[in-house]
Amino acid sequence: MNAIIEMKNLNKFYGSHHVLKDIDLSVSRGEVVVVVGASGSGKSTLIRCVNGLEMYQNGSLLVDGYPMPVEEDRRLGGERELAAIRKGVGMVFQQFNLFPHKTVVENITIAPMRVHRKTRREAEATALKLLERVGLEAHAHKYPGQLSGGQQQRVAIARSLAMEPHLMLFDEPTSALDPEMIGEVLDVMRELAADGMTMMIVTHEMGFAREVADRIVYIDQGSILEIGKPDAFFDNPENDRARSFLARVLKH
């Protein structure tokens, strides 16, 4: 299997609190893996380990062929590997994290110019293409405060895509949005999935998860309890806790 993410016996602690427990998970190139579970189950911590925002204490994690350094190695200066990994990984958060004093197009061009040494002209041409892709080309020269939450999140997706990532991570990208804005962000993510982008997504949007995922990963209290195809997971989960979780979330 051509894995872009490979975790083996990965463990994460906050002090004495064991947050992730012996995680074994791989994600293939071109695959869409959706991680679901109750709040506080470890979903966001799991996905944040993939681009080094959270440090894990033992086990192993390979991202695009690079070994993600464990916490001890990072404390000793293992940042070169981390920088190499992050160049190929885009991440979209719950909050949009846009620079409020810069226009939409400026927000998208900063990183390509600084990290990839693109000229302003090259970076702006790419930014405008990406804004067209997410349906926001008419808003290129507005400031984030002039946009709705859904529009800002689509800008955040375009900003990540501007770095030409091999892998996109989404950490509950619609949880801060009003209900009427959720669909416009999910539509962009559907298009990315259809285009073959490798994606790892944490979400509470179960209908979306069933529609776009190649596999569903169910995590509870820091452990992966079930991995399966969407139809099998939603129609006939094998794990009792997964059944209980689905009974709660699907009745709303």
Side-chain angles (χ1 to χ4, degrees), residues 51-223:
N51 75 341
L53 289 173
E54 297 283 358
M55 295 186 284
Y56 66 101
Q57 281 73 34
N58 56 62
S60 67
L61 170 56
L62 288 174
V63 181
D64 207 9
Y66 292 95
M68 177 70 74
V70 297
E71 182 176 34
E72 185 177 355
D73 290 340
R74 283 180 58 181
R75 293 193 193 285
L76 296 172
E79 294 296 315
R80 185 178 299 174
E81 298 93 336
L82 183 58
I85 289 169
R86 282 183 171 157
K87 280 187 178 181
V89 179
M91 185 148 185
V92 178
F93 301 88
Q94 297 177 36
Q95 302 299 328
F96 324 122
N97 299 327
L98 300 174
F99 293 111
H101 61 291
K102 293 188 178 293
T103 65
V104 164
V105 76
E106 287 171 340
N107 267 278
I108 297 172
T109 57
I110 292 169
M113 290 168 61
R114 288 186 179 173
V115 178
H116 291 320
R117 304 296 185 209
K118 295 273 183 80
T119 66
R120 182 176 301 278
R121 187 172 181 178
E122 289 172 326
E124 287 184 353
T126 298
L128 292 172
K129 284 181 184 176
L130 290 170
L131 286 171
E132 183 177 3
R133 186 175 182 181
V134 300
L136 292 173
E137 63 272 27
H139 301 279
H141 300 292
K142 291 183 179 179
Y143 290 90
Q146 297 173 286
L147 305 180
S148 70
Q151 289 171 329
Q152 289 186 62
Q153 192 62 294
R154 283 187 280 158
V155 172
I157 293 172
R159 177 183 58 187
S160 289
L161 292 173
M163 295 298 288
E164 301 172 0
H166 310 300
L167 166 67
M168 284 287 287
L169 308 175
F170 292 86
D171 186 8
E172 299 191 25
T174 60
S175 64
L177 300 179
D178 292 332
E180 65 271 17
M181 298 175 188
I182 290 172
E184 62 193 51
V185 173
L186 296 182
D187 284 344
V188 171
M189 294 170 67
R190 285 186 185 95
E191 290 180 16
L192 290 177
D195 289 345
M197 173 64 75
T198 309
M199 299 162 70
M200 189 171 177
I201 304 167
V202 171
T203 186
H204 290 290
E205 300 292 333
M206 294 297 132
F208 170 75
R210 183 169 192 156
E211 179 186 346
V212 304
D214 294 302
R215 286 186 298 154
I216 301 287
V217 173
Y218 171 66
I219 187 169
D220 186 66
Q221 297 178 21
S223 296

